[in-house]
Coordinates of all heavy atoms in Angstrom, one line a residue:
M671 N -93.1 19.2 -7.1 CA -92.1 19.3 -6.0 C -91.1 18.1 -6.1 O -90.0 18.3 -5.7 CB -92.8 19.2 -4.7 CG -93.4 20.6 -4.2 SD -92.2 21.9 -4.3 CE -92.0 22.2 -2.6
T672 N -91.5 17.0 -6.7 CA -90.6 15.9 -6.7 C -89.4 16.1 -7.7 O -88.4 15.5 -7.6 CB -91.3 14.6 -7.2 OG1 -91.9 14.8 -8.4 CG2 -92.4 14.2 -6.1
Q673 N -89.6 17.1 -8.6 CA -88.6 17.4 -9.6 C -87.6 18.5 -9.1 O -86.7 18.9 -9.7 CB -89.2 17.8 -10.9 CG -89.9 16.7 -11.6 CD -90.5 17.1 -12.9 OE1 -90.3 18.2 -13.3 NE2 -91.2 16.2 -13.5
L674 N -87.9 19.1 -7.9 CA -87.2 20.2 -7.4 C -85.7 19.9 -7.3 O -84.9 20.7 -7.8 CB -87.7 20.8 -6.1 CG -87.1 22.1 -5.6 CD1 -87.3 23.2 -6.6 CD2 -87.8 22.4 -4.3
P675 N -85.3 18.8 -6.7 CA -83.8 18.6 -6.6 C -83.2 18.5 -8.0 O -82.1 19.0 -8.2 CB -83.7 17.2 -5.9 CG -85.0 17.1 -5.1 CD -86.0 17.8 -6.0
Q676 N -83.8 17.9 -9.0 CA -83.3 17.9 -10.3 C -83.2 19.3 -10.9 O -82.2 19.6 -11.6 CB -84.2 17.0 -11.2 CG -83.7 16.9 -12.6 CD -84.6 16.0 -13.5 OE1 -85.6 15.6 -13.0 NE2 -84.2 15.8 -14.7
Q677 N -84.2 20.1 -10.7 CA -84.2 21.5 -11.2 C -83.1 22.3 -10.6 O -82.5 23.2 -11.2 CB -85.5 22.1 -11.1 CG -86.6 21.5 -11.9 CD -88.0 22.0 -11.6 OE1 -88.2 22.5 -10.5 NE2 -88.9 21.9 -12.5
L678 N -82.8 22.1 -9.3 CA -81.7 22.8 -8.7 C -80.3 22.5 -9.2 O -79.4 23.3 -8.9 CB -81.8 22.6 -7.1 CG -83.1 23.2 -6.5 CD1 -83.1 22.9 -5.0 CD2 -83.1 24.7 -6.7
S679 N -80.2 21.4 -9.9 CA -78.9 21.1 -10.4 C -78.7 21.7 -11.8 O -77.6 21.7 -12.4 CB -78.7 19.5 -10.5 OG -79.6 19.0 -11.5
T680 N -79.7 22.4 -12.3 CA -79.6 23.1 -13.6 C -78.7 24.3 -13.4 O -78.8 25.0 -12.4 CB -81.0 23.6 -14.0 OG1 -81.9 22.4 -14.2 CG2 -80.9 24.3 -15.3
N681 N -77.8 24.4 -14.4 CA -76.9 25.6 -14.3 C -76.9 26.2 -15.7 O -76.4 25.5 -16.7 CB -75.5 25.2 -13.8 CG -74.7 26.5 -13.6 OD1 -75.1 27.5 -13.2 ND2 -73.4 26.3 -14.0
L682 N -77.3 27.4 -15.9 CA -77.3 28.1 -17.1 C -76.1 29.1 -17.0 O -76.1 29.9 -16.1 CB -78.6 28.9 -17.4 CG -79.8 28.0 -17.4 CD1 -81.1 29.0 -17.5 CD2 -79.8 27.1 -18.6
H683 N -75.2 29.0 -17.9 CA -74.1 30.1 -18.0 C -74.5 31.0 -19.1 O -74.6 30.7 -20.2 CB -72.8 29.5 -18.3 CG -71.7 30.5 -18.3 ND1 -71.2 31.0 -17.1 CD2 -71.0 31.1 -19.2 CE1 -70.3 31.9 -17.4 NE2 -70.2 32.0 -18.7
L684 N -74.9 32.3 -18.7 CA -75.4 33.3 -19.6 C -74.3 34.3 -19.9 O -73.6 34.7 -19.0 CB -76.6 34.0 -18.9 CG -77.7 33.2 -18.4 CD1 -78.7 34.1 -17.7 CD2 -78.4 32.4 -19.5
N685 N -74.2 34.6 -21.2 CA -73.5 35.7 -21.7 C -74.5 36.7 -22.2 O -75.2 36.5 -23.2 CB -72.5 35.4 -22.8 CG -71.4 34.4 -22.3 OD1 -70.8 34.7 -21.4 ND2 -71.3 33.3 -23.0
V686 N -74.7 37.8 -21.5 CA -75.8 38.7 -21.7 C -75.3 40.1 -22.1 O -74.3 40.6 -21.6 CB -76.7 38.9 -20.5 CG1 -77.8 39.8 -20.7 CG2 -77.2 37.5 -20.0
T687 N -75.9 40.7 -23.1 CA -75.6 42.1 -23.5 C -76.9 42.9 -23.3 O -77.9 42.5 -23.9 CB -75.1 42.2 -25.0 OG1 -73.9 41.4 -25.1 CG2 -74.8 43.6 -25.3
V688 N -76.8 43.9 -22.5 CA -78.0 44.7 -22.2 C -77.6 46.1 -22.6 O -76.7 46.7 -22.0 CB -78.4 44.7 -20.7 CG1 -79.6 45.6 -20.4 CG2 -78.6 43.3 -20.3
D689 N -78.3 46.7 -23.6 CA -78.0 48.0 -24.1 C -76.5 48.2 -24.3 O -75.9 49.2 -23.7 CB -78.6 49.1 -23.2 CG -80.1 49.2 -23.5 OD1 -80.6 48.7 -24.5 OD2 -80.8 49.9 -22.7
N690 N -75.8 47.3 -25.0 CA -74.4 47.4 -25.3 C -73.4 47.2 -24.1 O -72.3 47.4 -24.2 CB -74.0 48.7 -26.0 CG -74.7 48.8 -27.3 OD1 -74.8 47.8 -28.0 ND2 -75.3 50.0 -27.6
E691 N -74.0 46.8 -22.9 CA -73.1 46.4 -21.8 C -73.2 44.9 -21.6 O -74.3 44.4 -21.5 CB -73.6 47.1 -20.5 CG -73.5 48.6 -20.5 CD -73.9 49.3 -19.2 OE1 -73.8 48.7 -18.2 OE2 -74.5 50.4 -19.3
S692 N -72.1 44.2 -21.6 CA -72.0 42.8 -21.5 C -71.6 42.3 -20.1 O -70.8 43.0 -19.4 CB -71.0 42.2 -22.5 OG -71.5 42.6 -23.8
F693 N -72.2 41.1 -19.7 CA -71.8 40.5 -18.5 C -72.1 39.0 -18.6 O -72.8 38.6 -19.5 CB -72.4 41.1 -17.3 CG -73.9 41.0 -17.3 CD1 -74.6 39.9 -16.7 CD2 -74.7 42.0 -17.9 CE1 -76.0 39.8 -16.7 CE2 -76.1 41.9 -17.9 CZ -76.7 40.8 -17.3
E694 N -71.5 38.2 -17.7 CA -71.7 36.8 -17.6 C -72.3 36.5 -16.3 O -72.0 37.1 -15.3 CB -70.4 36.0 -17.8 CG -69.8 36.1 -19.2 CD -68.6 35.2 -19.3 OE1 -68.5 34.2 -18.7 OE2 -67.7 35.6 -20.2
E695 N -73.2 35.5 -16.3 CA -73.9 35.1 -15.0 C -74.2 33.7 -15.1 O -74.6 33.1 -16.1 CB -75.2 36.0 -14.9 CG -75.8 35.9 -13.6 CD -75.0 36.7 -12.6 OE1 -74.8 37.9 -12.7 OE2 -74.4 36.0 -11.7
D696 N -74.1 33.0 -13.9 CA -74.6 31.6 -13.8 C -75.9 31.7 -13.1 O -76.1 32.5 -12.1 CB -73.6 30.8 -12.9 CG -72.3 30.4 -13.6 OD1 -72.4 30.2 -14.8 OD2 -71.3 30.4 -13.0
A697 N -76.9 31.0 -13.7 CA -78.3 31.2 -13.2 C -79.0 29.9 -13.2 O -78.7 28.9 -13.9 CB -79.0 32.2 -14.2
Y698 N -80.1 29.9 -12.4 CA -81.1 28.8 -12.4 C -82.0 29.0 -13.5 O -82.5 28.1 -14.2 CB -81.9 28.8 -11.1 CG -81.1 28.2 -9.9 CD1 -81.0 29.0 -8.8 CD2 -80.6 27.0 -9.9 CE1 -80.3 28.5 -7.7 CE2 -79.9 26.5 -8.8 CZ -79.8 27.3 -7.7 OH -79.1 26.8 -6.6
M699 N -82.4 30.3 -13.8 CA -83.4 30.6 -14.8 C -83.3 32.1 -15.2 O -82.7 32.8 -14.4 CB -84.8 30.2 -14.4 CG -85.3 31.0 -13.3 SD -87.1 30.8 -13.0 CE -87.8 31.8 -14.3
F700 N -83.8 32.4 -16.3 CA -84.0 33.8 -16.7 C -85.3 34.0 -17.5 O -85.8 33.0 -18.1 CB -82.8 34.4 -17.4 CG -82.7 33.8 -18.8 CD1 -83.2 34.6 -19.9 CD2 -82.1 32.6 -19.1 CE1 -83.1 34.1 -21.2 CE2 -82.0 32.1 -20.4 CZ -82.5 32.9 -21.4
V701 N -85.9 35.2 -17.5 CA -87.1 35.4 -18.2 C -86.9 36.8 -18.8 O -86.5 37.8 -18.1 CB -88.3 35.4 -17.3 CG1 -89.6 35.8 -18.0 CG2 -88.5 34.1 -16.6
I702 N -87.3 37.0 -20.1 CA -87.4 38.3 -20.7 C -88.9 38.4 -21.0 O -89.5 37.6 -21.6 CB -86.6 38.3 -22.0 CG1 -85.1 38.2 -21.7 CG2 -86.9 39.7 -22.7 CD1 -84.3 38.1 -22.9
T703 N -89.5 39.5 -20.5 CA -90.9 39.7 -20.5 C -91.2 41.2 -20.7 O -90.3 42.0 -20.6 CB -91.6 39.1 -19.3 OG1 -93.0 39.2 -19.4 CG2 -91.2 39.8 -18.0
N704 N -92.5 41.5 -20.8 CA -92.9 42.9 -20.9 C -94.0 43.2 -19.9 O -94.7 44.2 -20.0 CB -93.4 43.2 -22.4 CG -93.5 44.6 -22.7 OD1 -92.8 45.4 -22.0 ND2 -94.3 45.0 -23.6
T705 N -94.3 42.2 -19.0 CA -95.3 42.4 -18.0 C -94.7 42.0 -16.6 O -93.7 41.5 -16.5 CB -96.5 41.6 -18.3 OG1 -96.2 40.2 -18.1 CG2 -97.1 41.8 -19.7
N706 N -95.5 42.4 -15.6 CA -95.0 42.0 -14.2 C -95.6 40.6 -13.8 O -95.4 40.2 -12.7 CB -95.3 43.1 -13.2 CG -96.8 43.3 -13.0 OD1 -97.6 42.7 -13.6 ND2 -97.1 44.1 -12.1
R707 N -96.3 40.0 -14.7 CA -96.9 38.7 -14.4 C -96.3 37.6 -15.3 O -96.4 37.7 -16.5 CB -98.4 38.7 -14.6 CG -99.1 37.4 -14.2 CD -100.6 37.5 -14.4 NE -101.2 36.2 -14.1 CZ -102.0 36.0 -13.1 NH1 -102.3 37.0 -12.3 NH2 -102.4 34.8 -12.9
V708 N -95.7 36.6 -14.7 CA -95.0 35.6 -15.5 C -95.4 34.2 -14.9 O -95.2 34.0 -13.7 CB -93.5 35.7 -15.4 CG1 -92.8 34.6 -16.1 CG2 -93.0 37.1 -16.0
G709 N -95.9 33.3 -15.7 CA -96.2 32.0 -15.3 C -97.2 31.9 -14.1 O -97.2 31.0 -13.3
G710 N -98.1 32.9 -14.1 CA -99.1 32.9 -13.0 C -98.7 33.6 -11.7 O -99.4 33.7 -10.8
F711 N -97.4 34.1 -11.7 CA -96.9 34.8 -10.5 C -97.0 36.3 -10.8 O -96.4 36.8 -11.7 CB -95.4 34.4 -10.3 CG -95.3 33.0 -9.8 CD1 -95.0 32.0 -10.8 CD2 -95.4 32.6 -8.5 CE1 -94.8 30.7 -10.4 CE2 -95.3 31.3 -8.1 CZ -95.0 30.3 -9.0
D712 N -97.7 37.0 -9.9 CA -97.8 38.5 -10.0 C -96.6 39.1 -9.4 O -96.1 38.7 -8.4 CB -99.1 38.9 -9.3 CG -100.4 38.6 -10.1 OD1 -100.3 38.6 -11.3 OD2 -101.4 38.3 -9.4
G713 N -96.3 40.3 -9.9 CA -95.2 41.1 -9.3 C -93.8 40.6 -9.5 O -92.9 41.0 -8.7
I714 N -93.6 39.7 -10.4 CA -92.2 39.2 -10.6 C -91.3 40.3 -10.9 O -90.2 40.3 -10.4 CB -92.3 38.1 -11.8 CG1 -93.0 36.9 -11.4 CG2 -90.9 37.8 -12.2 CD1 -92.3 36.1 -10.3
I715 N -91.7 41.2 -11.8 CA -90.9 42.4 -12.1 C -91.7 43.6 -11.8 O -92.6 44.0 -12.5 CB -90.5 42.4 -13.6 CG1 -89.7 41.1 -13.9 CG2 -89.6 43.7 -13.9 CD1 -89.4 41.0 -15.4
P716 N -91.6 44.2 -10.6 CA -92.5 45.2 -10.1 C -92.6 46.4 -11.0 O -93.7 47.0 -11.0 CB -91.9 45.6 -8.7 CG -91.0 44.4 -8.3 CD -90.5 43.8 -9.6
F717 N -91.6 46.8 -11.6 CA -91.6 48.1 -12.4 C -92.0 47.8 -13.9 O -91.9 48.8 -14.7 CB -90.3 48.8 -12.3 CG -89.1 48.0 -12.7 CD1 -88.8 47.8 -14.1 CD2 -88.3 47.4 -11.8 CE1 -87.7 47.0 -14.4 CE2 -87.2 46.7 -12.1 CZ -86.9 46.5 -13.5
A718 N -92.2 46.6 -14.3 CA -92.5 46.3 -15.7 C -93.8 47.0 -16.1 O -94.8 47.1 -15.4 CB -92.8 44.8 -15.9
D719 N -93.7 47.6 -17.3 CA -94.8 48.4 -17.9 C -94.9 48.1 -19.3 O -94.0 48.3 -20.1 CB -94.5 49.9 -17.7 CG -95.6 50.8 -18.2 OD1 -96.6 50.3 -18.8 OD2 -95.4 52.0 -18.1
I720 N -96.0 47.5 -19.7 CA -96.2 47.1 -21.1 C -96.2 48.2 -22.1 O -95.9 48.1 -23.3 CB -97.6 46.3 -21.2 CG1 -97.6 45.5 -22.5 CG2 -98.7 47.2 -21.1 CD1 -98.6 44.4 -22.5
N721 N -96.3 49.5 -21.6 CA -96.4 50.6 -22.5 C -95.1 51.4 -22.6 O -95.0 52.5 -23.2 CB -97.5 51.6 -22.1 CG -98.9 50.9 -22.2 OD1 -99.1 50.3 -23.3 ND2 -99.7 51.0 -21.2
D722 N -94.0 51.0 -21.9 CA -92.8 51.8 -21.9 C -91.8 51.5 -23.0 O -90.8 52.1 -23.2 CB -92.1 51.6 -20.5 CG -91.5 50.2 -20.3 OD1 -91.6 49.3 -21.2 OD2 -91.0 50.0 -19.2
G723 N -92.2 50.6 -23.9 CA -91.3 50.3 -25.1 C -90.1 49.5 -24.7 O -89.2 49.4 -25.6
K724 N -90.0 49.0 -23.5 CA -88.8 48.2 -23.1 C -89.2 46.8 -22.7 O -90.3 46.5 -22.3 CB -88.2 48.9 -21.9 CG -87.7 50.3 -22.2 CD -87.1 50.9 -20.9 CE -86.6 52.3 -21.2 NZ -86.1 52.9 -20.0
L725 N -88.2 45.9 -22.9 CA -88.3 44.5 -22.4 C -87.7 44.5 -21.0 O -86.7 45.2 -20.8 CB -87.7 43.5 -23.3 CG -88.4 43.4 -24.7 CD1 -87.6 42.5 -25.6 CD2 -89.8 42.8 -24.5
D726 N -88.2 43.6 -20.2 CA -87.6 43.5 -18.8 C -87.0 42.1 -18.7 O -87.6 41.1 -19.1 CB -88.7 43.7 -17.8 CG -89.3 45.0 -17.9 OD1 -88.6 46.0 -17.7 OD2 -90.5 45.1 -18.3
L727 N -85.8 42.1 -18.1 CA -85.1 40.8 -17.9 C -84.9 40.6 -16.4 O -84.6 41.5 -15.7 CB -83.7 40.9 -18.5 CG -82.6 39.9 -18.2 CD1 -83.0 38.5 -18.7 CD2 -81.2 40.3 -18.7
V728 N -85.2 39.4 -16.0 CA -85.0 38.9 -14.6 C -84.1 37.7 -14.7 O -84.4 36.8 -15.5 CB -86.3 38.7 -13.8 CG1 -87.1 37.6 -14.4 CG2 -86.0 38.4 -12.4
I729 N -83.2 37.6 -13.8 CA -82.3 36.5 -13.7 C -82.4 35.9 -12.3 O -82.2 36.7 -11.3 CB -80.8 36.8 -14.0 CG1 -80.7 37.3 -15.5 CG2 -79.9 35.6 -13.8 CD1 -79.4 37.9 -15.8
V730 N -82.6 34.7 -12.1 CA -82.5 34.0 -10.8 C -81.1 33.5 -10.8 O -80.8 32.4 -11.4 CB -83.5 33.0 -10.5 CG1 -83.3 32.3 -9.2 CG2 -84.9 33.6 -10.6
K731 N -80.2 34.2 -10.1 CA -78.8 33.8 -10.0 C -78.6 32.5 -9.3 O -79.3 32.1 -8.4 CB -77.9 34.8 -9.3 CG -77.7 36.1 -10.0 CD -76.8 37.0 -9.2 CE -76.5 38.3 -9.8 NZ -75.5 39.0 -9.0
R732 N -77.5 31.8 -9.7 CA -77.2 30.5 -9.0 C -76.7 30.9 -7.6 O -76.0 31.9 -7.4 CB -76.0 29.9 -9.8 CG -75.6 28.6 -9.3 CD -76.1 27.5 -10.3 NE -75.6 26.2 -9.8 CZ -76.5 25.3 -9.5 NH1 -77.7 25.4 -9.6 NH2 -76.0 24.1 -9.0
C733 N -77.3 30.2 -6.6 CA -77.0 30.6 -5.2 C -77.2 29.3 -4.4 O -77.6 28.3 -4.9 CB -77.8 31.7 -4.7 SG -79.6 31.4 -4.8
S734 N -76.9 29.4 -3.1 CA -77.1 28.2 -2.2 C -78.6 28.0 -2.0 O -79.5 28.9 -2.2 CB -76.5 28.5 -0.8 OG -77.2 29.5 -0.1
I735 N -79.0 26.8 -1.6 CA -80.4 26.5 -1.3 C -81.0 27.4 -0.2 O -82.1 27.9 -0.4 CB -80.5 25.0 -0.8 CG1 -80.0 24.0 -1.9 CG2 -81.9 24.7 -0.4 CD1 -80.7 24.1 -3.2
T736 N -80.2 27.7 0.8 CA -80.6 28.7 1.8 C -81.0 30.0 1.2 O -82.0 30.6 1.6 CB -79.5 28.8 2.9 OG1 -79.1 27.5 3.4 CG2 -80.0 29.6 4.1
D737 N -80.1 30.5 0.4 CA -80.4 31.8 -0.3 C -81.6 31.8 -1.2 O -82.4 32.7 -1.3 CB -79.1 32.3 -1.0 CG -78.0 32.7 -0.1 OD1 -78.3 33.2 1.0 OD2 -76.8 32.6 -0.6
L738 N -81.8 30.6 -1.9 CA -82.9 30.5 -2.7 C -84.2 30.4 -1.9 O -85.2 31.1 -2.3 CB -82.8 29.2 -3.6 CG -83.8 29.0 -4.7 CD1 -83.8 30.1 -5.7 CD2 -83.6 27.7 -5.4
I739 N -84.2 29.8 -0.8 CA -85.4 29.8 0.1 C -85.7 31.2 0.6 O -86.8 31.6 0.6 CB -85.2 28.8 1.2 CG1 -85.2 27.4 0.7 CG2 -86.2 29.0 2.3 CD1 -84.8 26.3 1.7
A740 N -84.6 31.9 0.9 CA -84.8 33.3 1.4 C -85.4 34.2 0.2 O -86.2 35.0 0.5 CB -83.5 33.9 1.8
L741 N -84.9 33.9 -1.0 CA -85.5 34.7 -2.1 C -87.0 34.4 -2.3 O -87.8 35.3 -2.6 CB -84.7 34.3 -3.4 CG -85.2 34.9 -4.7 CD1 -85.2 36.4 -4.7 CD2 -84.4 34.4 -5.9
I742 N -87.4 33.1 -2.2 CA -88.8 32.7 -2.3 C -89.6 33.4 -1.2 O -90.7 33.9 -1.4 CB -88.9 31.2 -2.3 CG1 -88.3 30.6 -3.5 CG2 -90.4 30.8 -2.1 CD1 -88.1 29.1 -3.5
K743 N -89.0 33.5 0.0 CA -89.7 34.1 1.1 C -89.9 35.6 0.8 O -90.9 36.2 1.0 CB -89.0 33.9 2.4 CG -89.6 34.7 3.6 CD -88.7 34.6 4.9 CE -87.4 35.3 4.7 NZ -87.4 36.7 5.0
D744 N -88.8 36.2 0.3 CA -88.8 37.7 0.0 C -89.9 37.9 -1.1 O -90.6 38.9 -1.1 CB -87.5 38.1 -0.6 CG -86.4 38.3 0.5 OD1 -86.8 38.3 1.7 OD2 -85.2 38.4 0.2
Y745 N -90.0 37.0 -2.1 CA -91.1 37.2 -3.1 C -92.5 37.2 -2.4 O -93.3 38.0 -2.8 CB -91.0 36.0 -4.1 CG -92.2 36.1 -5.0 CD1 -92.4 37.0 -6.0 CD2 -93.2 35.1 -4.9 CE1 -93.5 37.1 -6.8 CE2 -94.4 35.1 -5.6 CZ -94.5 36.1 -6.6 OH -95.7 36.2 -7.4
R746 N -92.7 36.3 -1.5 CA -94.0 36.3 -0.8 C -94.3 37.6 -0.1 O -95.5 38.0 0.0 CB -94.0 35.1 0.2 CG -94.0 33.7 -0.4 CD -95.2 33.3 -1.0 NE -96.2 33.1 0.1 CZ -97.5 33.3 -0.1 NH1 -98.0 33.6 -1.3 NH2 -98.4 33.1 0.9
F747 N -93.3 38.3 0.4 CA -93.5 39.6 1.1 C -93.2 40.8 0.2 O -93.2 41.9 0.7 CB -92.6 39.6 2.3 CG -93.0 38.6 3.4 CD1 -92.4 37.5 3.6 CD2 -94.2 38.9 4.1 CE1 -92.8 36.6 4.6 CE2 -94.6 38.0 5.1 CZ -93.9 36.8 5.3
G748 N -93.0 40.6 -1.1 CA -92.8 41.7 -2.0 C -91.5 42.4 -1.9 O -91.4 43.5 -2.3
K749 N -90.5 41.7 -1.4 CA -89.1 42.3 -1.2 C -88.1 41.7 -2.1 O -86.9 42.0 -2.0 CB -88.7 42.2 0.2 CG -89.6 42.9 1.2 CD -89.1 43.0 2.6 CE -88.8 41.6 3.1 NZ -88.3 41.5 4.5
H750 N -88.5 40.8 -3.1 CA -87.5 40.1 -3.9 C -86.7 41.0 -4.8 O -85.6 40.6 -5.2 CB -88.3 39.0 -4.7 CG -89.3 39.5 -5.6 ND1 -90.5 40.1 -5.1 CD2 -89.4 39.6 -7.0 CE1 -91.2 40.5 -6.2 NE2 -90.6 40.2 -7.3
D751 N -87.3 42.1 -5.2 CA -86.5 43.0 -6.1 C -85.3 43.6 -5.5 O -84.5 44.2 -6.1 CB -87.5 44.1 -6.6 CG -88.1 45.0 -5.6 OD1 -88.3 44.5 -4.4 OD2 -88.3 46.1 -5.8
K752 N -85.1 43.4 -4.2 CA -83.9 44.0 -3.5 C -82.9 42.9 -3.2 O -81.8 43.1 -2.7 CB -84.3 44.6 -2.1 CG -85.2 45.8 -2.3 CD -85.8 46.3 -1.0 CE -86.7 47.5 -1.2 NZ -87.9 47.2 -2.1
S753 N -83.2 41.6 -3.6 CA -82.3 40.5 -3.4 C -81.1 40.6 -4.3 O -81.2 40.9 -5.5 CB -83.0 39.2 -3.6 OG -82.1 38.1 -3.6
P754 N -79.9 40.3 -3.8 CA -78.7 40.2 -4.7 C -78.7 39.1 -5.7 O -77.9 39.0 -6.6 CB -77.5 40.1 -3.7 CG -78.1 39.5 -2.5 CD -79.5 40.0 -2.4
F755 N -79.6 38.1 -5.5 CA -79.7 36.9 -6.3 C -80.8 37.1 -7.4 O -81.1 36.2 -8.1 CB -80.0 35.7 -5.5 CG -79.0 35.5 -4.4 CD1 -79.3 35.7 -3.1 CD2 -77.7 35.1 -4.8 CE1 -78.3 35.6 -2.1 CE2 -76.7 35.0 -3.8 CZ -77.0 35.2 -2.5
Y756 N -81.3 38.3 -7.5 CA -82.5 38.5 -8.4 C -82.3 39.9 -9.1 O -83.1 40.8 -8.9 CB -83.7 38.5 -7.5 CG -85.0 38.4 -8.3 CD1 -85.5 37.1 -8.7 CD2 -85.8 39.5 -8.5 CE1 -86.7 37.0 -9.4 CE2 -87.1 39.4 -9.2 CZ -87.5 38.1 -9.6 OH -88.6 38.0 -10.3
P757 N -81.3 40.0 -9.9 CA -81.1 41.3 -10.6 C -82.2 41.5 -11.7 O -82.7 40.6 -12.3 CB -79.7 41.2 -11.3 CG -79.5 39.7 -11.5 CD -80.3 39.1 -10.3
L758 N -82.7 42.8 -11.8 CA -83.7 43.1 -12.7 C -83.1 44.2 -13.7 O -82.4 45.1 -13.3 CB -84.9 43.7 -12.0 CG -85.6 42.9 -10.9 CD1 -86.5 43.7 -10.1 CD2 -86.3 41.7 -11.6
Y759 N -83.5 44.1 -14.9 CA -83.0 45.0 -16.0 C -84.2 45.4 -16.8 O -85.0 44.6 -17.2 CB -82.0 44.4 -16.9 CG -80.8 43.8 -16.1 CD1 -80.8 42.5 -15.7 CD2 -79.7 44.6 -15.8 CE1 -79.7 42.0 -15.0 CE2 -78.7 44.1 -15.1 CZ -78.7 42.8 -14.7 OH -77.6 42.3 -14.0
S760 N -84.3 46.7 -17.1 CA -85.3 47.2 -18.0 C -84.6 48.0 -19.1 O -84.1 49.1 -18.8 CB -86.3 48.1 -17.3 OG -87.3 48.6 -18.2
R761 N -84.6 47.4 -20.3 CA -83.8 48.0 -21.3 C -84.5 47.9 -22.7 O -85.5 47.2 -22.8 CB -82.4 47.3 -21.5 CG -81.6 47.4 -20.2 CD -81.1 48.8 -19.9 NE -80.0 48.8 -19.0 CZ -80.1 49.0 -17.7 NH1 -81.3 49.1 -17.2 NH2 -79.1 49.0 -16.9
T762 N -83.9 48.5 -23.7 CA -84.5 48.4 -25.0 C -84.0 47.3 -25.9 O -84.7 46.8 -26.7 CB -84.3 49.8 -25.7 OG1 -82.9 50.1 -25.8 CG2 -85.1 50.9 -25.1
T763 N -82.7 46.8 -25.6 CA -82.2 45.8 -26.4 C -81.5 44.7 -25.6 O -80.9 45.1 -24.5 CB -81.2 46.3 -27.5 OG1 -80.1 46.9 -26.8 CG2 -81.8 47.3 -28.4
Y764 N -81.6 43.5 -26.0 CA -80.9 42.4 -25.3 C -80.4 41.4 -26.3 O -80.9 41.2 -27.4 CB -82.0 41.6 -24.4 CG -82.5 42.3 -23.3 CD1 -83.8 42.8 -23.3 CD2 -81.8 42.4 -22.1 CE1 -84.3 43.5 -22.2 CE2 -82.4 43.0 -21.0 CZ -83.6 43.6 -21.1 OH -84.2 44.2 -20.0
S765 N -79.3 40.8 -25.9 CA -78.9 39.5 -26.6 C -78.3 38.6 -25.6 O -77.8 39.1 -24.6 CB -77.9 39.8 -27.7 OG -76.8 40.4 -27.2
H766 N -78.5 37.3 -25.7 CA -78.0 36.4 -24.8 C -77.5 35.1 -25.5 O -78.0 34.8 -26.6 CB -79.0 36.0 -23.7 CG -80.1 35.2 -24.2 ND1 -81.2 35.7 -25.0 CD2 -80.4 33.9 -24.2 CE1 -82.0 34.8 -25.3 NE2 -81.5 33.6 -24.8
Y767 N -76.6 34.5 -24.9 CA -76.1 33.3 -25.4 C -75.9 32.3 -24.3 O -75.4 32.6 -23.3 CB -74.7 33.5 -26.1 CG -74.7 34.6 -27.1 CD1 -74.4 35.9 -26.7 CD2 -75.2 34.4 -28.4 CE1 -74.5 37.0 -27.6 CE2 -75.2 35.4 -29.3 CZ -74.9 36.7 -28.9 OH -74.9 37.7 -29.8
L768 N -76.4 31.1 -24.5 CA -76.3 30.0 -23.5 C -75.1 29.2 -23.8 O -74.7 29.0 -24.9 CB -77.6 29.1 -23.5 CG -78.9 29.8 -23.1 CD1 -80.0 28.8 -23.3 CD2 -78.8 30.4 -21.7

């Protein structure tokens, strides 16, 4: 917790291509995974399926502290996948550049 203020100053500028569609995003973090459990957190990507042949990308978009707290609350209640600050992608190919 003592490192939280330092971590909130992190800004990743992502150039992402998902199945030949490109976009840019400023983010706190991103994860590409094949399961719905990441770093000990269950349900991070609710629709992730290890058998679907796709990788799943989640981005925690750069947002205000208030919005980030709301996102954490939404995660606790299983509603984070509807947040505008938490886009989810399930695709077959990815490329990203930091």
Side-chain angles (χ1 to χ4, degrees):
M671 280 308 249
T672 59
Q673 295 179 2
L674 188 59
Q676 181 182 4
Q677 291 171 338
L678 291 177
S679 67
T680 300
N681 187 37
L682 302 171
H683 183 75
L684 305 175
N685 293 308
V686 181
T687 301
V688 179
D689 284 346
N690 298 318
E691 294 182 35
S692 297
F693 62 92
E694 294 185 27
E695 195 68 68
D696 287 324
Y698 286 121
M699 67 170 284
F700 72 97
V701 176
I702 298 174
T703 185
N704 197 22
T705 68
N706 67 355
R707 184 181 176 110
V708 177
F711 293 94
D712 287 326
I714 291 292
I715 304 174
F717 56 78
D719 181 358
I720 198 165
N721 296 313
D722 66 3
K724 298 179 180 179
L725 292 173
D726 301 293
L727 167 68
V728 62
I729 298 172
V730 178
K731 287 185 178 183
R732 189 108 175 116
C733 58
S734 70
I735 300 299
T736 306
D737 290 331
L738 188 59
I739 291 170
L741 176 59
I742 293 167
K743 178 188 66 84
D744 287 345
Y745 169 73
R746 295 281 295 150
F747 291 104
K749 300 187 302 183
H750 60 290
D751 59 329
K752 295 170 183 58
S753 171
F755 304 107
Y756 195 79
L758 302 168
Y759 304 92
S760 180
R761 301 290 196 268
T762 54
T763 61
Y764 293 99
S765 60
H766 71 282
Y767 306 96
L768 298 176

